[in-house]
Amino acid sequence: MASYEALYSRRCRSPIRRFKAGETNLLGPDLVQKAMDKVQLIRQRLLTAQSRQKSYVDKRRRDLVFTIGDKVFLRVSPMKDSSQVLEALTISLDEKLSYEEEPRTIVDRQVRKLRSKKIVFVKVLWRNHTVEEATWEVEKDMQAKYPHLFQFTGVN
């Protein structure tokens, strides 16, 4: 008894079975012809189904006519727009192909209270960055490293 028959209690219906040598031809001209006929039948039925669906759609399709002032919903798909391409700023690099960030201005000031001390932070706008990319830095460190920022801003 084959393992398939033992498992499912019926014979395998596949054209590929275990045969003894010389018992039968698996691939003969009749088997190939039957397969070709089935493929042709499937293609024909697919074309019939597509034709039927097209006729249903064509019967229900109508041309839309709009007048000035009508409100309509539009489906807009995103497309590539060359006007949204931003030009990159030129950044001067040193011999090691690196550059040092330089602060442009101080945007905000904030005092954070801990248990026993207060730490003053400043929001720094860096060169070649947008306002959204400004960072909070300790005021003492920034004043020691960049004193020119605090002379003109009035932030002490």
Side-chain angles (χ1 to χ4, degrees):
M1 175 182 281
S3 58
Y4 185 89
E5 292 175 18
L7 186 60
Y8 296 106
S9 304
R10 60 185 170 127
R11 295 190 59 172
C12 180
R13 297 178 57 191
S14 171
I16 301 173
R17 297 188 191 129
R18 296 183 184 179
F19 295 105
K20 294 182 181 173
E23 186 175 315
T24 184
N25 281 336
L26 287 178
L27 294 177
D30 57 335
L31 184 62
V32 173
Q33 185 61 38
K34 286 180 184 178
M36 299 270 295
D37 291 342
K38 287 184 181 180
V39 168
Q40 193 68 19
L41 180 66
I42 291 170
R43 284 185 180 161
Q44 182 183 3
R45 288 183 180 169
L46 280 173
L47 287 174
T48 304
Q50 288 174 350
S51 174
R52 187 180 313 118
Q53 290 172 354
K54 184 180 182 320
S55 68
Y56 290 153
V57 170
D58 289 344
K59 286 180 184 176
R60 290 163 179 79
R61 181 174 291 151
R62 57 187 168 92
D63 292 333
L64 299 176
V65 178
F66 298 108
T67 59
I68 296 174
D70 287 350
K71 294 183 180 182
V72 297
F73 288 105
L74 296 177
R75 179 188 292 179
V76 179
S77 60
M79 49 188 251
K80 294 183 180 178
D81 192 347
S82 61
S83 66
Q84 294 179 357
V85 176
L86 302 176
E87 293 184 25
L89 301 172
T90 56
I91 299 174
S92 59
L93 301 175
D94 61 5
E95 306 84 37
K96 298 177 183 175
L97 297 178
S98 62
Y99 74 99
E100 184 177 340
E101 287 285 350
E102 293 182 18
R104 204 170 11 158
T105 184
I106 294 176
V107 181
D108 196 5
R109 185 172 189 264
Q110 186 180 57
V111 178
R112 296 186 188 167
K113 296 178 184 178
L114 299 178
R115 290 184 185 183
S116 61
K117 61 181 177 177
K118 296 178 184 178
I119 302 175
V120 181
F121 285 90
V122 289
K123 192 171 188 178
V124 180
L125 179 62
W126 299 93
R127 186 181 56 148
N128 300 324
H129 291 280
T130 61
V131 176
E132 291 82 18
E133 296 173 317
T135 59
W136 288 98
E137 307 290 336
V138 178
E139 184 183 45
K140 262 196 303 189
D141 298 342
M142 292 300 293
Q143 204 164 17
K145 200 168 182 182
Y146 306 104
H148 64 278
L149 288 176
F150 295 90
Q151 293 172 358
F152 301 109
T153 59
V155 177
N156 291 327

